[in-house]
Amino acid sequence: MSKCRAEAAAGAAGILLRYLQEQNRPYSAQDVFGNLQREHGLGKAVVVKTLEQLAQQGKIKEKMYGKQKIYFADQDQFDMVSDADLQGLDGKIVALTAKVQSLQQSCRYMEAELKELSSTLTTPEMQKEIQELKKECAGYSERLKNIKAATNHVTPEEKEQVYRERQKYCKEWRKRKRMATELSDAILEGYPKSKKQFFEEVGIETDEDYNVTLPDP
């Protein structure tokens, strides 16, 4: 068991040392764990312990920032970089940044185009939609044809006559309702019982009993 642990520790040390040298920037133990956990499956406790051991062995550097330890590669192992080299690297960074931005913009355009194409009907779907619309139009055409061929159409004159008769009967209905109301009110002035009892005894049925309302004029 101890041999397996030693091999695992040695493997973790190699992974972390190589990572810090390749990245050549400061990291906390939490940062290193988050960046490598998915790829290498290293546990946080292993990462913390291995980084401390590498620092004690002088293979990496360790500094305290507040309450947090920061680890980074030993800079003595790297060649000195001149100002010209730094300027060249800065130029490459600017060029690569512009390239990344251009690629990101292209990706956004392609994503928008893909979304638009995904929402568009395919040729078979469009053909099916056309057939269904044709069938629907044919049904409407047949109905329209039958309506036009019917002989029981109401003429404008007949329609106007119906409206006039309706108005006439509604007017008479309103007149008789008013007369009946006035008559019953006059009787109820000397009637000892309630209006409801009077209607029940006499046998009067009102529009309200049958949820009927007088149409508007």
Side-chain angles (χ1 to χ4, degrees):
M1 179 65 71
S2 60
K3 182 179 180 181
C4 293
R5 289 180 178 176
E7 291 177 350
I15 292 171
L16 298 182
L17 181 60
R18 184 170 59 253
Y19 178 74
L20 290 178
Q21 289 175 344
E22 290 175 350
Q23 300 299 318
N24 194 22
R25 54 163 292 181
Y27 286 108
S28 67
Q30 178 64 38
D31 293 334
V32 176
F33 166 70
N35 295 340
L36 298 180
Q37 192 273 336
R38 178 176 296 181
E39 181 178 356
H40 297 284
L42 299 176
K44 185 175 181 180
V46 173
V47 171
V48 172
K49 184 176 180 181
T50 304
L51 288 172
E52 290 178 348
Q53 291 176 346
L54 289 172
Q56 292 170 1
Q57 296 168 2
K59 295 181 179 180
I60 63 174
K61 296 297 182 180
E62 173 188 282
K63 282 192 176 182
M64 290 293 298
Y65 282 90
K67 296 182 179 181
Q68 189 176 44
K69 292 182 179 180
I70 299 297
Y71 299 92
F72 53 92
D74 185 358
Q75 299 301 300
D76 293 338
Q77 63 183 307
F78 299 112
D79 297 332
M80 292 295 295
V81 181
S82 65
D83 291 340
D85 292 335
L86 290 174
Q87 291 177 359
L89 290 174
D90 289 340
K92 289 182 179 180
I93 291 174
V94 171
L96 289 173
T97 301
K99 186 176 181 179
V100 168
Q101 291 176 348
S102 177
L103 289 173
Q104 288 175 338
Q105 186 174 8
S106 298
C107 287
R108 287 193 292 269
Y109 287 149
M110 287 187 284
E111 287 175 355
E113 185 176 2
L114 178 61
K115 184 178 180 180
E116 183 179 355
L117 290 174
S118 298
S119 61
T120 304
L121 293 176
T122 62
T123 300
E125 291 173 339
M126 196 170 296
Q127 291 174 342
K128 181 180 179 181
E129 182 74 13
I130 291 173
Q131 292 301 320
E132 291 177 353
L133 289 173
K134 285 183 177 180
K135 183 177 180 181
E136 187 176 352
C137 289
Y140 289 142
S141 298
E142 184 65 23
R143 289 178 59 186
L144 182 60
K145 180 181 177 181
N146 293 336
I147 291 173
K148 289 181 177 180
T151 57
N152 58 347
H153 293 303
V154 177
T155 64
E157 292 78 12
E158 292 173 332
K159 183 178 179 180
E160 182 63 27
Q161 179 64 27
V162 170
Y163 283 148
R164 284 199 299 269
E165 290 181 358
R166 175 184 179 276
Q167 189 176 15
K168 173 183 175 183
Y169 294 134
C170 286
K171 183 178 180 181
E172 187 65 24
W173 181 0
R174 190 173 293 102
K175 176 182 175 182
R176 295 191 180 190
K177 183 179 181 68
R178 184 176 62 254
M179 292 172 60
T181 301
E182 291 175 352
L183 181 60
S184 62
D185 289 344
I187 296 174
L188 286 170
E189 288 180 0
Y191 190 71
K193 299 180 181 179
S194 66
K195 181 179 180 180
K196 182 178 180 181
Q197 291 175 322
F198 170 67
F199 281 6
E200 288 177 352
E201 290 180 1
V202 178
I204 297 176
E205 295 178 341
T206 66
D207 295 337
E208 289 72 20
D209 294 334
Y210 292 92
N211 295 321
V212 177
T213 57
L214 187 64
D216 295 330

